[in-house]
Amino acid sequence: MDTEVTSTEGHAGIDSTLDGTARIERLFEMTSDLLATVSRDGHFTLLNPAWEQLLGWTREELRARPMRDFMHPDDVEQTLVPMLGSDSQVGQLEDLTTRYRHRDGSWRWLLWSARRDGDTWYAAAKDVTDRMWLERQALHDPLTHLPNRLLLMDRARQALARLNRHRSHSVVAMLFIDLDKFKAVNDNLGHDVGDRLLLSVSERLAELMRDSDTVARLGGDEFVILAEELDGDGEAMALAGRVLEALERPFPLGTAEVAILASVGISVSHHPDTDPETMLREADVAMYRAKSADGRRLELFDERLRSELSTHLELEGRLREALPHRELVLAYQPILRLAGGQAIGCEALVRWRPRSGGRTASSEVLPSTFLPPAEGSELIVQIGNWVLHAACAQAEIWRRAGITVPVCVNISARELTELDLAERVREELAYCRLPGRALCLEISEEAVLRDPDRARSALKDLKRLGVLIALDKFGFSQLSLGLPSNLPLDILKLDRALTASFHQDKDRRAMFVATIALAKEAGLTAVAVGIETNRQLALARELDCAVGQGFLLHGPASAERVRLRGTAGSVTSAPWRPLVRLRGSGDRR
């Protein structure tokens, strides 16, 4: 009896063990996670069905070949070296991300954890392909698939942290690359060709790089190269030189070849605690210096540029306080008929009177000093909004006093091409109860040429409001004479360089004459800007220009002191005495 009891108990234990094993095997077969065992020589020895469902290979096919045959080449070393390179009988891997090839040739991202026991690794993995795809979308440029700014900054932080780890004299460099006149490719050949060119540029830049370097695209036609373990400034500049040479070779794009040049700014750091954003800003500043010298150049950010940037940032910081502290003011300069001196317009000119110790400084800061720093930020929009509002408010005051001269407001390139300027102007006109003809908007030729299509569209929207449009700095480029026929204009303001030298330079004089003829043909008013001497005034009249603006006629003045009602005395072509005299003409404030 005792034997039977013992025998019965033994069979029950065996049955229980078999049931437990079956349950484990069933769990192994049914789980959606990927489970596997891996041998010392890097072969799968046991796999659950989830592998077949995810990768499309049968388990027999996966076991028949080494693991590395299914892994992305870039992931082999980081995965198999820790798994197979140790002689230890125990080991552990956590959160290892590896790509495996699907039977259709695509890649799946797996997140691994594995533990070693003797000669066998026991591994579990999850499919994280969707998550990795979303992360890569957030960190990569959608067109070129290069790293974007966010990923570039992360890699720059890592590269800077590695400085001096291996070589005490090594440096990290950022090369900011801007393609010169890329917009012309889009305008003339279409955006599809432009996109193909950007892809070709990204591929050519990648060919120049080492595995440890990064090529990123910030957007548009701007690329950045991050290079580490360079021997110093010289090697960074040599790399920039190779970039310029590589991009000079024509790009075959279908049936056409496109040649394009570039400007490159270089920032170099020797210090691990350098801020990557600072490096990028420095490289950007250097690139703009290279671009301002007609492109196809490289420029290293050095102490000279550092001093300029420091001054620029200090000025920008002070300027941010100017609006809330009411430090900006407007001066007004009339635009006058050269026969009789009647004002046909009045330009609003912004001035900055910084406060110091609670008091307003006696001297003014001119726009040429403080507007360039503002143009690279939202400050230019804030200043533009304030000028538009203040000028319209003054126009309302004058109109109530019976002075109906249009007030002219300068519009920045950013306001013209990036914002809904027409809506902003419509709101201001309505607020100040002004008709459209009470306002004249002055846009520079340079702003139009930056984005002709958007500029043209914005100007058409503005014309529907009844405002006047003046093209400022006309004649500064060879493209000038073709612009008026394409834009809804009322006034051409000649670039002051023409007025300053047309009595000495025959080419400038010819351009001046051509502009006057063009304006008359198109029914536009031509304005000679920058009349400061009697000789300039006399020649402007002799060349049949009817309207002018300049210190000789009337300097900028406050709204209270500007003279808009007066008329000039007699006008003559004699070059040796004043031709137009207005009350207040000596006021140059």
Side-chain angles (χ1 to χ4, degrees), residues 114-158:
R115 184 182 297 273
R116 182 175 178 176
D117 186 1
D119 290 339
T120 302
W121 281 91
Y122 297 88
K126 287 183 177 293
D127 176 21
V128 292
T129 303
D130 290 343
R131 190 186 81 188
M132 294 299 294
W133 184 84
L134 290 173
E135 289 180 359
R136 288 182 65 82
Q137 288 292 102
L139 297 174
H140 289 78
D141 171 60
L143 174 64
T144 63
H145 304 298
L146 293 175
N148 61 12
R149 183 189 184 110
L150 189 62
L151 183 53
L152 172 69
M153 291 295 97
D154 181 65
R155 291 187 179 177
R157 278 186 285 272
Q158 297 177 39

Side-chain angles (χ1 to χ4, degrees), residues 12 14 61 117 124 186 236 267 317 320 341 383 391 528 534 550 570 577:
I14 293 172
E61 289 173 320
D117 186 1
N186 278 337
S267 175
R320 289 187 182 278
I383 293 173
N534 295 330
S570 61
R577 59 193 175 99

Side-chain angles (χ1 to χ4, degrees), residues 86-260:
S86 174
D87 293 331
S88 173
Q89 293 298 300
V90 295
Q92 186 168 336
L93 295 174
E94 295 290 344
D95 298 332
L96 184 66
T97 305
T98 310
R99 285 163 289 183
Y100 277 79
R101 183 162 53 89
H102 191 277
R103 193 182 194 100
D104 64 10
S106 61
W107 297 98
R108 299 292 189 272
W109 289 85
L110 305 184
L111 181 64
W112 280 86
S113 293
R115 184 182 297 273
R116 182 175 178 176
D117 186 1
D119 290 339
T120 302
W121 281 91
Y122 297 88
K126 287 183 177 293
D127 176 21
V128 292
T129 303
D130 290 343
R131 190 186 81 188
M132 294 299 294
W133 184 84
L134 290 173
E135 289 180 359
R136 288 182 65 82
Q137 288 292 102
L139 297 174
H140 289 78
D141 171 60
L143 174 64
T144 63
H145 304 298
L146 293 175
N148 61 12
R149 183 189 184 110
L150 189 62
L151 183 53
L152 172 69
M153 291 295 97
D154 181 65
R155 291 187 179 177
R157 278 186 285 272
Q158 297 177 39
L160 289 163
R162 288 190 289 267
L163 264 177
N164 304 334
R165 185 176 299 177
H166 304 296
R167 296 184 297 167
S168 60
H169 62 280
S170 66
V171 301
V172 170
M174 275 193 192
L175 278 61
F176 199 116
I177 304 160
D178 182 90
L179 305 182
D180 297 332
K181 298 180 174 61
F182 171 74
K183 187 180 181 304
V185 176
N186 278 337
D187 291 343
N188 296 323
L189 301 178
H191 288 275
D192 289 343
V193 173
D195 287 347
R196 293 205 300 274
L197 176 59
L198 292 174
L199 285 168
S200 298
V201 167
S202 67
E203 292 167 359
R204 194 169 290 182
L205 291 177
E207 292 172 359
L208 295 174
M209 298 301 104
R210 304 163 300 175
D211 291 340
S212 59
D213 298 334
T214 295
V215 181
R217 182 183 177 221
L218 301 190
D221 57 355
E222 296 178 338
F223 295 82
V224 174
I225 292 173
L226 172 69
E228 56 183 310
E229 292 191 15
L230 300 181
D231 283 332
D233 295 0
E235 189 173 357
M237 294 180 72
L239 174 59
R242 292 195 296 273
V243 167
L244 289 178
E245 291 175 1
L247 296 181
E248 279 184 349
R249 301 196 309 270
F251 290 87
L253 300 174
T255 58
E257 278 194 346
V258 175
I260 196 161

Side-chain angles (χ1 to χ4, degrees), residues 275-286:
D275 177 25
E277 290 286 353
T278 298
M279 281 193 74
L280 184 62
R281 183 168 61 248
E282 291 174 350
D284 189 18
V285 169

Side-chain angles (χ1 to χ4, degrees), residues 25-87:
E25 290 178 350
R26 184 172 179 79
L27 180 62
F28 182 83
E29 294 289 321
M30 293 183 62
T31 182
S32 60
D33 287 347
L34 294 98
L35 305 177
T37 57
V38 182
S39 65
R40 287 289 298 269
D41 62 354
H43 281 74
F44 291 114
T45 55
L46 188 64
L47 297 158
N48 69 336
W51 286 89
E52 296 181 343
Q53 298 167 14
L54 180 68
L55 298 181
W57 306 97
T58 66
R59 283 180 281 181
E60 290 74 17
E61 289 173 320
L62 290 167
R63 288 194 298 264
R65 295 160 61 184
M67 284 177 64
R68 67 183 304 130
D69 288 357
F70 299 96
M71 295 173 61
H72 194 287
D74 293 345
D75 298 338
V76 170
E77 183 175 354
Q78 68 165 337
T79 305
L80 294 185
V81 167
M83 287 186 71
L84 310 178
S86 174
D87 293 331

